[in-house]
Amino acid sequence: MSHSPDGQHQPYRSAGPYQQQPYGEPYGQQNGQPYGQQNGQPYGEPYGQPYPPSYGESRPPLPEEPRRPSRIRRWVIAGASVLALAGVASLVMSHYEIPPFTDKGDSVSFGQQPPGGSAGGDTGGASDAKPPAHSKMSMPTGPAADFKNSMTLPDGTHVAVTTLDGKKSGFKGKVWVWAPKAYSDPKFAKSGFPVMIALPGGAGYPNNYWMGTDLGLQASISKWYAEGKSKPFILVMPVLNPGPDDKGIYWDGSDIPGQPKMGTWLTDDVPDLVRANFRTIKSRDGWAYMGSSTGAFASLKAVLKYPEKFKAAICSGPDIVPDSPLWKGHDKEKAENNPELLAKALTGKKGAPDVYLAFQVGTNESNKNTLPNVQKFIAAYGKGPVHTDLKVIQGGKHNAKTYVPNMGEGPIQFISKVMEGPVE
């Protein structure tokens, strides 16, 4: 058997070269075919082509081959393909923060003169002229910190990070900052802005989770400000602890004897960094804290311990009393950092400054005593100069994803009504 071009089997036929020429065939033919052909097919033509036409006949026209695209068209197609691939590649590289397709790591000045260079980046609309003596705002005092971009928000604002070497605490750690869009608005070029120091719960080291995009705290502040619910806070997000939370060890945001002075870091060094780099408000009317869990405890304690420096706090799922195991053997210092005792002393002090504490607690907190403890605190100390507000979140759990969306429906409004800014 042999095979035809379409793969069908054909009966065997001999076509050997020594086959005898039949008598009477014209010279130059073999088996009735002209030399140069095989099975009726001219050599050199594609196998399976029809017999050549007889004299006087015309071969049927063959189908036209498709016209090749012009050279210009081919170049256009190739160029478009390259651009499409480049676009996809840039998106991938940007997602994975591969230079030059990301601005992460670029310097951000927030209107300050960068270290060792001329002013640039975010101008912030700041004027070099000193404000009048009676002004409520404070111009950046310097020196300028070395801020590096951590992320860029859709509105063009930046979350930037720097490493702060705390002069008063002796602790060195990371601080993230974000200024709202209004901060760079020319109409606020001579205005000081309120500051909110946001403290995380849990380990709080080596990151502060408020600066992430999944929680949307920065975008929420912008949204609430546009809706008239919030002041346009500068967000400051330092690490809370000096090291990993190993085996339940944490520092309560306090100066525990023999440990890094995290209380001084949070209430002195971090505010000093902000004053050095931003247009802020001189008085305590422009300074607040917020936090969840341990960060809420540290926020609550900071305002009650230093009411002359800070006016308000948003405390979500807070601990009410210090409970770090590192306090063991230091009862006196522990009492000096107990919010219950601090609130009691403040309510009994004549002429004490007013403070404003907005609590948030979910009904599904991991610690079932959280809500009862907050309610007892408010009942005992929420009087006189200590003003309180409580938002109970139905179904709310002990996490930041519960707390951020609910801040806009009460707590942020509660403190924004009593704080100032922007002011000249």
Side-chain angles (χ1 to χ4, degrees), residues 68-141:
R68 293 184 180 180
S70 68
R71 179 173 296 179
I72 294 177
R73 184 183 175 192
R74 290 200 303 271
W75 277 108
V76 170
I77 294 173
S81 300
V82 169
L83 289 174
L85 289 173
V88 172
S90 66
L91 289 174
V92 171
M93 296 177 81
S94 176
H95 175 76
Y96 289 102
E97 298 176 341
I98 301 173
F101 297 96
T102 177
D103 58 0
K104 183 174 182 179
D106 290 353
S107 294
V108 179
S109 70
F110 294 106
Q112 277 287 79
Q113 181 174 341
S118 59
D122 297 331
T123 64
S127 170
D128 292 334
K130 291 183 178 181
H134 64 273
S135 174
K136 293 183 176 181
M137 68 91 71
S138 175
M139 290 293 291
T141 60

Side-chain angles (χ1 to χ4, degrees), residues 112 138-144 271-280:
Q112 277 287 79
S138 175
M139 290 293 291
T141 60
D272 285 348
L273 170 73
V274 183
R275 292 188 185 96
N277 291 274
F278 292 89
R279 304 188 309 277
T280 56

Side-chain angles (χ1 to χ4, degrees), residues 149-414:
N149 190 37
S150 181
M151 69 180 69
T152 301
L153 277 64
D155 65 357
T157 58
H158 302 285
V159 176
V161 63
T162 191
T163 299
L164 171 62
D165 191 353
K167 304 303 180 186
K168 296 177 181 177
S169 67
F171 174 70
K172 186 176 183 179
K174 290 183 178 180
V175 181
W176 289 262
V177 298
W178 172 81
K181 190 75 171 178
Y183 186 82
S184 59
D185 189 329
K187 74 179 181 180
F188 293 126
K190 297 180 181 180
S191 298
F193 278 69
V195 176
M196 179 178 285
I197 300 173
L199 306 180
Y205 179 91
N207 293 316
N208 178 322
Y209 54 61
W210 295 117
M211 55 82 186
T213 55
D214 55 335
L215 295 175
L217 181 58
Q218 298 91 342
S220 294
I221 293 292
S222 294
K223 176 177 177 291
W224 297 330
Y225 173 56
E227 294 171 348
K229 297 178 180 179
S230 173
K231 296 293 185 184
F233 291 102
I234 296 170
L235 284 178
V236 185
M237 300 162 278
V239 296
L240 177 63
N241 292 329
D245 182 8
D246 293 332
K247 299 179 181 179
I249 297 298
Y250 48 95
W251 287 259
D252 273 347
S254 305
D255 291 358
I256 300 176
Q259 301 295 329
K261 296 182 177 180
M262 300 312 295
T264 300
W265 157 263
L266 295 175
T267 58
D268 284 301
D269 290 330
V270 171
D272 285 348
L273 170 73
V274 183
R275 292 188 185 96
N277 291 274
F278 292 89
R279 304 188 309 277
T280 56
I281 297 172
K282 291 179 181 178
S283 75
R284 72 188 193 101
D285 293 332
W287 293 83
Y289 281 85
M290 66 154 284
S292 64
S293 193
T294 301
F297 166 84
S299 298
L300 175 64
K301 178 174 67 73
V303 173
L304 291 172
K305 192 172 185 178
Y306 302 108
E308 72 283 359
K309 295 168 63 175
F310 310 107
K311 191 171 188 178
I314 296 175
C315 310
S316 302
D319 300 322
I320 296 298
V321 296
D323 60 358
S324 170
L326 297 172
W327 287 115
K328 186 176 181 180
H330 306 289
D331 292 343
K332 176 180 178 293
E333 292 83 0
K334 182 177 180 179
E336 292 170 351
N337 288 274
N338 186 327
E340 289 185 336
L341 298 180
L342 292 169
K344 183 178 180 180
L346 193 62
T347 57
K349 185 177 180 180
K350 186 177 181 179
D354 292 301
V355 295
Y356 297 81
L357 308 174
F359 293 95
Q360 284 195 120
V361 184
T363 56
N364 289 339
E365 295 276 345
S366 52
N367 183 351
K368 300 303 179 184
N369 292 322
T370 300
L371 181 55
N373 288 343
V374 170
Q375 290 171 329
K376 290 177 182 177
F377 178 91
I378 291 174
Y381 310 111
K383 52 191 175 182
V386 180
H387 305 268
T388 61
D389 181 72
L390 172 61
K391 180 176 179 59
V392 178
I393 305 169
Q394 295 300 321
K397 298 181 180 180
H398 189 72
N399 58 52
K401 289 188 177 180
T402 289
Y403 303 137
V404 171
N406 287 281
M407 278 176 58
E409 300 304 322
I412 199 73
Q413 300 173 63
F414 179 75

